[in-house]
Amino acid sequence: MPKLIVNDKEIEIEEGLTVLQACEQAGAEIPRFCYHEKLSIAGNCRMCLVEMEKSAKPIASCAITATEGMNIKTNTLKVEKARKSVMELLLANHPLDCPVCDQGGECDLQDQSMFYGLDLSRFTENKRSVKEKHMGPLIKTEMTRCIHCTRCIRFATEVAGIDEIGAIGRGEDMQITTYLEKAMESELSANVIDLCPVGALTSKPYAFEARPWELKNTETIDVMDAVGSNIRVDTYGWEVKRILPKINEDINEEWISDKTRYACDGLLKQRLDKPYIRENGKLIKSNWTDAVQIVINKIKNTKPSQIAGFIGDLVDLESMYIFKKFFNKSLNSTNLEFRNEKRYLNPDERINYLFNSTINGIEEADLILLIGTNPRQEATILNARIRKSYVKNKIKIYSIGDPGELTYPYEIIGHDTSVIKDIIEGSHHVSLKIKNSEKPLIIIGESILNSDAAEYIFKSIKNFLTKNDKINSDWNSFNILTQRASNVGAMDLGLYKITKKDNYEVLNKLNNNEFKLIYLLGADELKFNKKDEFIIYQGSHGDKGASIADVILPSAAYTEKDGYYVNLEGRIQKAFKASYPPGESKEDWEIINNISQFLNKRLDIINKFDLETKLIKSNNLYSKESYITKEKNSSEINQSKIPFINSKLEIKQIDYYFTNPICRASKTMLECKTVKNNFKLTGTEG
């Protein structure tokens, strides 16, 4: 490990660090614009200049590797003069329009100009003016402010994996633009807004909505997919104004998807703020007393075996826990289900439904096999990790089934289950490559688990990996890619009813119209032919579930309550209340608890804290979280009775921007979807 001197202080650093990183380890603050830890080094802003012994001029600390014996100074008059000159040059063409810039208050250029800026400039020439660029419905451009740091270009190419942004011209005439000035296609596109150190790229939906110092910041968890990205919700009063990423290196690093960032305007639209009752085929506004009384009467007049409950995609653990408790104790029913369609599951071991390699572990993989999944659509942040692993390790990526356009090269090795059979039997070339790999990564998507061959695929793949020691205490190659935020938690809580003969008991009864009363807890994606069933819908939005309901009970959205969520790798995270529900809406647990009291079958839940305590104790939640890193051993599954089924593996394309009620209520998501549908137009359609 090399040793060097920074400001007369000797430090020891890891091999390969830059001078900038070494200086920061020594406690010296180095200004920068172009440098970013997650991007390649450009070295074009020159703000990070430092003085090095025996060097005739200051050096760019971000672009030079720290080596043994270096003597670095960061606070000399020479360095200060150099930085002031660089800042003077950067401001030569900057419009200095801070009062009307959305970046004001959180702008790197603004902050650093306070330390290194001059009150007068030697540049008297007219400032340049750059025509604004079209980058789609999410990114607002003011390219006259651009300082050519190229962070946006490097992010699009390196992280997003889409060559959509580039530079034309040289020197002062250089301009950042999208090719053919079209909207960015990447689902990570808006991260360039966070990366931009000036106000050249700002948020179009957030434009002129608020100033950063007016907003209340709450760190919480995203529920738009099962990744569990860490986010910061900024609110102005009741309204959620914007969502920004919170750094978590194990999950989302410092990126979030566009859907996570911008679906939040759907929290204001199509909200249920009062109870509704259906009379003469129409839903009319009601009150809690009347609505709950109708629910009570229907429950009392319905046999427990004819009552079923379905869990939605965005429901927190507390709500699911009390919902199960309510069904088991108050209703004496076990007809619970979190799946909205027939999707195979095996609850024997927790690793049967987790992404066991972990999100962070993707970077360690030396081979990836995708089976019936499109990670770009199903888990955007996870897909970014796969690309990072590809760029970093140059790994080979295979796919069974055609996932469409991904952000890294891959090889399709087949379209049906016969390929899996060949891999299991060792007759396929990929079989040997998996066996010879130290850390292969097998990802099974929900499209496969929805197929007739789901059980065969699940058991054969797991047995193959177990026999070849790819599931052990050091590494687990077996991964299920879950798409919905609530699903892993629902599995942990046992919110399903299966038998040895029937994996879909509740769903089959639903399709056969055997239930008389159906309670939908935020379940909007359930498809069945309604006959005379009485539907209770409890949720936040007037979406698909509400449209078929006989009674609607309005509840809080995910930003309006505290709650635990379990992400796809089994990690337990707590979301915190950033806002409050509109009108007469209540939290889910409170509604269910009140109904149980009216039934005279109390659940012994005093308050939210009491609920959380009982949830954690009864389900050993925190011990389950340790499972993802400590308990990866597995036993073989009995496969003797599972015949081979030759089935074509078709990857179900999801409606990415409309995956849940919040997204469907979002104006921004509608605009993104419209733009996406027009990407492939050639201009000759007329």
Side-chain angles (χ1 to χ4, degrees):
M1 297 176 69
K3 294 181 179 179
L4 66 157
I5 298 172
V6 178
N7 295 335
D8 300 323
K9 177 183 176 182
E10 187 179 68
I11 61 168
E12 189 176 25
I13 62 169
E14 295 179 15
E15 193 75 40
L17 292 186
T18 64
V19 173
L20 186 152
Q21 292 170 317
C23 291
E24 290 195 330
Q25 282 195 15
E29 186 176 345
I30 308 294
R32 82 293 299 267
F33 290 114
C34 68
Y35 176 79
H36 192 277
E37 292 81 358
K38 300 295 183 183
L39 305 176
S40 62
I41 294 171
N44 51 14
C45 79
R46 287 305 193 257
M47 198 65 203
C48 65
L49 294 173
V50 297
E51 190 175 349
M52 183 175 69
E53 190 178 55
K54 298 181 181 180
S55 176
K57 57 184 181 179
I59 64 170
S61 61
C62 72
I64 296 180
T65 303
T67 57
E68 181 74 30
M70 278 186 170
N71 190 351
I72 305 296
K73 301 282 187 181
T74 69
N75 52 8
T76 64
L77 289 175
K78 187 177 183 179
V79 170
E80 184 180 354
K81 184 180 178 181
R83 290 174 180 173
K84 286 182 179 293
S85 297
V86 171
M87 180 59 69
E88 185 182 11
L89 181 63
L90 291 175
L91 294 176
N93 281 308
H94 197 80
L96 303 178
D97 56 349
C98 299
V100 296
C101 179
D102 263 330
Q103 197 86 345
E106 46 192 13
C107 174
D108 291 347
L109 183 65
Q110 195 177 61
D111 294 340
Q112 292 184 40
S113 67
M114 292 292 293
F115 290 94
Y116 306 105
L118 299 170
D119 56 346
L120 294 173
S121 175
R122 290 168 290 176
F123 297 99
T124 59
E125 296 86 353
N126 291 331
K127 294 179 181 281
R128 65 167 187 169
S129 178
V130 182
K131 183 181 177 183
E132 301 317 321
K133 312 300 180 184
H134 172 66
M135 292 191 181
L138 305 180
I139 303 169
K140 183 176 182 289
T141 64
E142 290 286 345
M143 302 312 292
T144 304
R145 300 171 184 159
C146 180
I147 61 170
H148 304 156
C149 71
T150 68
R151 280 186 179 183
C152 53
I153 297 175
R154 286 174 283 148
F155 172 83
T157 305
E158 298 165 13
V159 179
I162 305 289
D163 294 326
E164 294 181 321
I165 304 179
I168 57 175
R170 294 174 63 90
E172 188 181 63
D173 296 325
M174 177 178 169
Q175 295 185 30
I176 308 296
T177 183
T178 54
Y179 301 117
L180 304 177
E181 290 204 23
K182 68 173 185 175
M184 290 184 67
E185 294 186 38
S186 172
E187 293 81 11
L188 295 168
S189 65
N191 286 288
V192 300
I193 297 168
D194 300 330
L195 288 170
C196 184
V198 298
L201 304 176
T202 56
S203 174
K204 189 176 285 187
Y206 174 70
F208 309 119
E209 286 288 322
R211 288 296 195 180
W213 54 84
E214 298 176 314
L215 302 174
K216 175 190 172 187
N217 312 136
T218 306
E219 295 180 352
T220 184
I221 306 299
D222 173 53
V223 299
M224 293 296 116
D225 55 31
V227 174
S229 298
N230 286 213
I231 58 174
R232 192 188 87 190
V233 177
D234 291 354
T235 55
Y236 185 87
W238 172 72
E239 292 187 34
V240 175
K241 288 295 184 181
R242 65 178 182 178
I243 290 177
L244 300 174
K246 176 178 175 286
I247 297 176
N248 188 321
E249 295 294 340
D250 290 333
I251 302 175
N252 58 300
E253 298 183 285
E254 54 189 276
W255 322 121
I256 55 173
S257 69
D258 292 344
K259 182 165 60 175
T260 296
R261 188 185 297 266
Y262 286 117
C264 59
D265 64 336
L267 293 166
L268 305 174
K269 310 292 184 183
Q270 295 182 238
R271 291 302 303 270
L272 299 173
D273 57 358
K274 285 181 176 294
Y276 284 81
I277 298 172
R278 190 175 295 276
E279 291 185 0
N280 300 320
K282 294 184 178 181
L283 288 169
I284 61 170
K285 290 183 180 180
S286 183
N287 56 69
W288 277 105
T289 303
D290 292 344
V292 170
Q293 190 58 52
I294 291 173
V295 170
I296 299 298
N297 292 338
K298 281 291 180 179
I299 290 173
K300 288 182 177 179
N301 293 318
T302 308
K303 295 178 180 178
S305 61
Q306 296 178 325
I307 302 176
F310 290 87
I311 314 297
D313 300 344
L314 313 179
V315 185
D316 56 282
L317 283 181
E318 289 92 332
S319 300
M320 289 191 287
Y321 171 73
I322 197 172
F323 194 61
K324 182 181 180 181
K325 201 175 180 72
F326 170 70
F327 259 71
N328 292 345
K329 292 190 174 183
S330 299
L331 304 185
N332 196 28
S333 172
T334 57
N335 297 318
L336 288 169
E337 184 59 79
F338 69 92
R339 295 171 290 182
N340 52 45
E341 58 187 344
K342 290 185 178 181
R343 185 166 73 253
Y344 176 78
L345 66 85
N346 186 320
D348 294 345
E349 292 181 290
R350 198 169 186 241
I351 65 172
N352 289 346
Y353 52 88
L354 295 183
F355 196 92
N356 296 290
S357 301
T358 72
I359 299 170
N360 198 31
I362 294 173
E363 296 183 33
E364 302 177 34
D366 51 9
L367 180 147
I368 296 177
L369 173 61
L370 307 175
I371 304 177
T373 181
N374 178 348
R376 180 176 175 180
Q377 297 289 315
E378 297 167 14
T380 303
I381 295 299
L382 186 143
N383 186 71
R385 285 290 185 132
I386 296 176
R387 171 164 176 82
K388 184 178 180 181
S389 183
Y390 166 75
V391 173
K392 179 181 173 183
N393 305 320
K394 300 299 178 185
I395 60 173
K396 188 70 177 178
I397 301 172
Y398 301 96
S399 177
I400 302 176
D402 186 4
E405 188 177 356
L406 300 179
T407 57
Y408 38 81
Y410 62 91
E411 178 185 340
I412 299 175
I413 58 174
H415 296 274
D416 54 49
T417 51
S418 64
V419 181
I420 297 174
K421 185 173 183 290
D422 292 341
I423 292 174
I424 304 304
E425 294 176 350
S427 60
H428 198 283
H429 71 278
V430 172
S431 178
L432 184 61
K433 291 186 177 184
I434 294 173
K435 292 176 182 178
N436 293 337
S437 298
E438 290 186 10
K439 293 184 176 181
L441 197 73
I442 314 299
I443 303 176
I444 301 175
E446 286 189 5
S447 292
I448 300 307
L449 298 178
N450 293 339
S451 69
D452 294 335
E455 188 173 2
Y456 168 80
I457 294 169
F458 173 88
K459 292 184 175 181
S460 60
I461 290 292
K462 188 179 180 186
N463 283 346
F464 171 74
L465 294 173
T466 303
K467 286 178 181 177
N468 290 281
D469 196 32
K470 304 305 178 184
I471 301 178
N472 53 62
S473 57
D474 297 321
W475 181 256
N476 191 334
S477 297
F478 187 76
N479 299 283
I480 302 295
L481 182 50
T482 305
Q483 297 179 18
R484 302 160 184 85
S486 65
N487 279 12
V488 173
M491 287 284 287
D492 284 344
L493 296 179
L495 284 159
Y496 50 84
K497 185 180 180 181
I498 63 176
T499 64
K500 291 182 178 180
K501 295 183 178 180
D502 190 357
N503 202 283
Y504 315 105
E505 182 175 338
V506 176
L507 289 168
N508 285 331
K509 287 182 177 180
L510 174 71
N511 292 326
N512 294 330
N513 300 103
E514 295 181 28
F515 298 121
K516 299 299 181 185
L517 189 150
I518 299 174
Y519 200 136
L520 304 179
L521 182 60
D524 288 274
E525 314 305 324
L526 194 65
K527 296 178 181 178
F528 70 104
N529 294 320
K530 182 185 176 184
K531 289 186 177 180
D532 58 349
E533 296 93 343
F534 185 85
I535 309 292
I536 304 166
Y537 176 77
Q538 182 175 315
S540 60
H541 284 70
D543 199 72
K544 298 177 182 178
S547 66
I548 62 172
D550 296 288
V551 174
I552 296 175
L553 307 176
S555 64
Y558 75 105
T559 57
E560 299 158 3
K561 57 185 176 181
D562 295 339
Y564 286 96
Y565 290 89
V566 187
N567 77 342
L568 52 79
E569 59 182 355
R571 188 184 302 272
I572 298 158
Q573 302 182 105
K574 188 171 183 179
F576 292 96
K577 185 176 182 177
S579 182
Y580 48 88
E584 299 178 19
S585 301
K586 300 178 181 180
E587 292 191 26
D588 288 311
W589 78 270
E590 189 178 1
I591 298 170
I592 296 167
N593 202 37
N594 287 342
I595 293 174
S596 70
Q597 290 177 7
F598 279 107
L599 284 169
N600 295 321
K601 296 180 180 179
R602 296 177 180 269
L603 300 176
D604 299 323
I605 303 295
I606 303 171
N607 50 38
K608 187 66 176 289
F609 178 77
D610 183 44
L611 174 62
E612 289 182 0
T613 304
K614 289 177 179 176
L615 165 69
I616 293 168
K617 286 184 178 179
S618 63
N619 293 278
N620 298 316
L621 286 188
Y622 290 111
S623 64
K624 286 183 177 178
E625 181 170 313
S626 66
Y627 195 100
I628 65 174
T629 56
K630 294 180 180 179
E631 301 181 37
K632 291 186 176 180
N633 293 314
S634 177
S635 58
E636 289 186 36
I637 299 173
N638 183 10
Q639 199 179 340
S640 58
K641 297 182 179 179
I642 308 301
F644 166 71
I645 300 175
N646 191 12
S647 173
K648 188 176 181 180
L649 303 183
E650 294 184 0
I651 300 174
K652 183 180 178 182
Q653 297 298 314
I654 64 173
D655 195 349
Y656 179 75
Y657 294 106
F658 275 12
T659 52
N660 59 60
I662 298 173
C663 293
R664 289 190 285 269
S666 167
K667 178 185 175 185
T668 307
M669 292 295 98
L670 176 61
E671 291 176 352
C672 290
K673 183 178 179 178
T674 303
V675 169
K676 194 81 170 179
N677 291 338
N678 292 330
F679 275 151
K680 296 183 179 180
L681 297 181
T682 64
T684 61
E685 290 79 12

